[in-house]
Amino acid sequence: MNTASPDRIPDNLPDHIQHYIDGAFVDSVDGDTFDVVDPVTSQAYIKAAAGKKADIEAAAAAANAAFHDGPWPKMLPRERSRILHRIADIVESRGDAVAKTESYDSGLPITQALGQAHRSAENFRFFADLIVAQVDDVFKVPGRQINYVNRKPIGVAGLITPWNTPFMQESWKLGPALATGNTVILKPAEFTPLSAGLWPGIFEEAGLPKGVFNLVNGLGEDAGDALVKHPDVPLISFTGESGTGRLIFGNAAPFLKGLSMELGGKSPAIVFADADLETAIDATIFGVFSLNGERCTAGSRILVQRSIYDEFVERYAAQAKRVRVGFPDDPATEVGALVHPEHFAKVMSYIEIGKTESRLVAGGGRPAAFPEGNFVEPTVFADVPRTARIFQEEIFGPVVAITPFEDEAEALELANDTRYGLAAYLWTNDLKRAHNFAQAIDSGMVWLNSNNVRDLRTPFGGVKASGLGHEGGYRSVDFYTHQQAIHITLGAVHNPTFGK
């Protein structure tokens, strides 16, 4: 039996996890806590403050005071940019420590956690540069009128983040929200609150004014619900499961809040017979098994043209069996431990469902070397019908469904035959087919002959049950700012006269 190294425990692990409100670490108003579970042992290892309505009220008061009375929204873009660059520098300099905390918190393999830490720094650096380069529209009618757009921060942004790559996902929202002059309340996922506690020290060292950043831990039905319903929090950016997104949409509607929601996915990877087969197999293996399969953009439905289907399945299954499952702190590990026993049970239940719906060709259970913890073998099902639950429903783990198709028409029908529409991956050497097929797929993002390599300037978001709105690049600036149109008359006033 394997045993985890004690060295995987992060340095300076706190006695318990607290909120951070108005520049100070605090416990919940009612003193309530909840257990945080180690993905490797499935045992609770720390208590976290359980935020409720009173804690959200305190955070909202601090954030609103910082917005209306503090310097942050009034700073020049260049001044905010300097602080964001300092944040990026600090995150980069602490990359190893951030990755170790993130890996311990979520079960993510340490090498992948390190990549996510670097991406977190890059998110801040990108928006630090973007707000300095930001230009706004001016519309001229020579000699008569000038019309220009004035951007203004909106107020307090409520940021609700998921448990997969939590630190990076938090940076993804914090970067643009802060860059545009808003103040924030972060509500991290209850499964992974540990790494969120790194932000206060980073922000304080970078010189972020007190009250601009606030952190409230807690359950979604308590802290998250209170944040969504708070009348003084006009923006909600949420990443998570589609059902929760629908609930947030309904709860935010009476307040007419700005909403950005990145939800679930069941993304197809379509492999045509003319594709580079080895590259396609490598990419689709990585696309579903990296980040433990806990990624919204995972290519978890692989559609393969019939003429190469048998060869693809045989080679794919053989390679999946060689994917290394191990302790998250081992640099050789490719798939670590799933985040929580509840999620482990969900993924395992889908594997059992899959065994009744299709043909199991790799994995299918817990690795023999790991009798404890949330470890799952990379699992591959072939001959999966479109009606199967493992074809239609988001599993969010290291499980993939492979389905054959005859021609482009059938491939497109299968690709679009789910309620989701977040990402898609297309493998073909036919340039005309690639562009026409990509544009016909119902998804917010498509990668042609590429893995999920995203340019931060591009929009991120989905269609159907995969989301509402887009963020990324200038779309984030649009979401986190008011666009105020100002009109100036330069000539004679065009003023129809009534009542004269």
Side-chain angles (χ1 to χ4, degrees):
M1 173 182 163
N2 287 313
T3 57
S5 167
D7 292 338
R8 62 180 288 265
I9 301 174
D11 300 328
N12 302 317
L13 189 69
D15 293 331
H16 67 291
I17 297 170
Q18 296 178 289
H19 312 306
Y20 181 79
I21 298 174
D22 202 21
F25 284 101
V26 294
D27 292 323
S28 293
V29 171
D30 64 1
D32 197 12
T33 62
F34 63 93
D35 288 332
V36 183
V37 174
D38 177 358
V40 166
T41 65
S42 298
Q43 301 298 311
Y45 72 93
I46 200 169
K47 297 276 188 183
K52 308 259 182 22
K53 184 177 180 180
D55 305 291
I56 293 293
E57 288 281 358
N64 269 287
F67 183 77
H68 293 291
D69 304 325
W72 187 248
K74 305 175 186 68
M75 283 184 180
L76 294 174
R78 173 62 71 188
E79 294 175 314
R80 288 200 299 270
S81 175
R82 289 192 184 101
I83 291 177
L84 264 65
H85 272 298
R86 284 202 288 272
I87 292 169
D89 291 340
I90 295 167
V91 172
E92 270 188 350
S93 70
R94 300 179 186 176
D96 290 344
V98 169
K100 189 173 183 179
T101 302
E102 185 84 320
S103 177
Y104 189 80
D105 203 20
S106 66
L108 194 66
I110 187 65
T111 53
Q112 296 171 41
L114 187 59
Q116 296 299 314
H118 291 321
R119 185 56 174 258
S120 301
E122 185 59 28
N123 284 334
F124 276 94
R125 208 173 296 291
F126 175 82
F127 285 104
D129 291 337
L130 188 66
I131 55 166
V132 174
Q134 172 74 43
V135 294
D136 290 310
D137 294 323
V138 177
F139 307 94
K140 300 177 183 178
V141 183
R144 294 179 58 184
Q145 193 177 52
I146 291 178
N147 312 276
Y148 70 90
V149 176
N150 175 44
R151 287 186 183 270
K152 301 162 63 175
I154 293 174
V156 181
L159 311 178
I160 304 175
T161 52
W163 45 256
N164 60 318
T165 62
F167 191 83
M168 192 282 291
Q169 297 264 14
E170 290 152 11
S171 75
W172 197 343
K173 297 182 188 297
L174 287 165
L178 295 173
T180 47
N182 298 283
T183 58
V184 302
I185 302 171
L186 172 65
K187 206 299 282 183
E190 55 264 34
F191 284 176
T192 53
L194 184 63
S195 61
L198 300 174
W199 289 117
I202 292 168
F203 290 151
E204 286 180 7
E205 185 174 332
L208 193 71
K210 187 178 77 166
V212 172
F213 169 78
N214 301 274
L215 165 67
V216 178
N217 295 292
L219 307 183
E221 55 266 34
D222 295 325
D225 185 64
L227 183 58
V228 169
K229 292 177 178 176
H230 198 288
D232 296 328
V233 180
L235 288 176
I236 298 292
S237 178
F238 168 76
T239 299
E241 192 266 333
S242 297
T244 306
R246 284 193 294 272
L247 187 63
I248 289 173
F249 189 94
N251 287 337
F255 303 96
L256 300 177
K257 293 178 184 254
L259 287 177
S260 176
M261 294 196 289
E262 191 269 287
L263 307 177
K266 192 70 177 177
S267 300
I270 305 101
V271 183
F272 283 95
D274 66 341
D276 180 328
L277 196 57
E278 184 172 356
T279 303
I281 289 172
D282 283 345
T284 50
I285 288 275
F286 181 83
V288 75
F289 298 130
S290 60
L291 306 182
N292 297 345
E294 298 167 328
R295 56 188 305 170
C296 54
T297 54
S300 55
R301 293 183 298 136
I302 305 178
L303 313 178
V304 183
Q305 196 155 24
R306 179 76 69 178
S307 60
I308 61 167
Y309 179 76
D310 290 340
E311 180 185 0
F312 184 95
V313 170
E314 182 180 354
R315 290 174 61 178
Y316 191 97
Q319 189 161 330
K321 291 174 183 176
R322 297 193 295 270
V323 171
R324 176 158 178 168
V325 180
F327 289 114
D329 62 316
D330 184 347
T333 292
E334 293 168 328
V335 172
L338 300 191
V339 68
H340 192 275
E342 286 181 20
H343 185 59
F344 171 81
K346 173 194 168 184
V347 172
M348 294 298 283
S349 72
Y350 270 108
I351 290 174
E352 293 308 307
I353 290 168
K355 291 175 183 177
T356 70
E357 296 179 319
S358 52
R359 177 165 61 100
L360 178 68
V361 294
R366 174 192 286 280
F370 296 92
E372 298 176 345
N374 306 320
F375 294 92
V376 177
E377 292 178 309
T379 298
V380 183
F381 290 101
D383 310 339
V384 181
R386 70 171 67 190
T387 55
R389 288 184 63 187
I390 62 168
F391 186 95
Q392 293 290 340
E393 299 175 20
E394 184 177 40
I395 300 173
F396 220 65
V399 182
V400 67
I402 308 180
T403 300
F405 67 86
E406 295 291 345
D407 52 25
E408 286 186 36
E410 186 181 15
L412 183 62
E413 188 180 354
L414 288 167
N416 289 339
D417 188 21
T418 72
R419 67 193 186 99
Y420 297 104
L422 185 58
Y425 307 88
L426 180 60
W427 294 89
T428 178
N429 283 316
D430 184 328
L431 186 61
K432 182 188 294 185
R433 169 199 281 159
H435 287 285
N436 288 331
F437 196 97
Q439 292 172 32
I441 295 175
D442 294 334
S443 70
M445 298 167 288
V446 182
W447 279 268
L448 302 179
N449 296 323
S450 170
N451 215 315
N452 186 328
V453 179
R454 181 173 162 260
D455 189 315
L456 292 177
R457 296 170 294 182
T458 59
F460 187 101
V463 298
K464 300 193 288 190
S466 287
L468 174 73
H470 289 76
E471 294 188 43
Y474 285 119
R475 281 84 176 176
S476 293
V477 175
D478 287 343
F479 176 70
Y480 289 106
T481 57
H482 285 306
Q483 298 175 58
Q484 181 186 47
I486 297 180
H487 310 276
I488 308 156
T489 297
L490 299 179
V493 178
H494 179 67
N495 191 23
T497 303
F498 279 20
K500 207 164 193 177

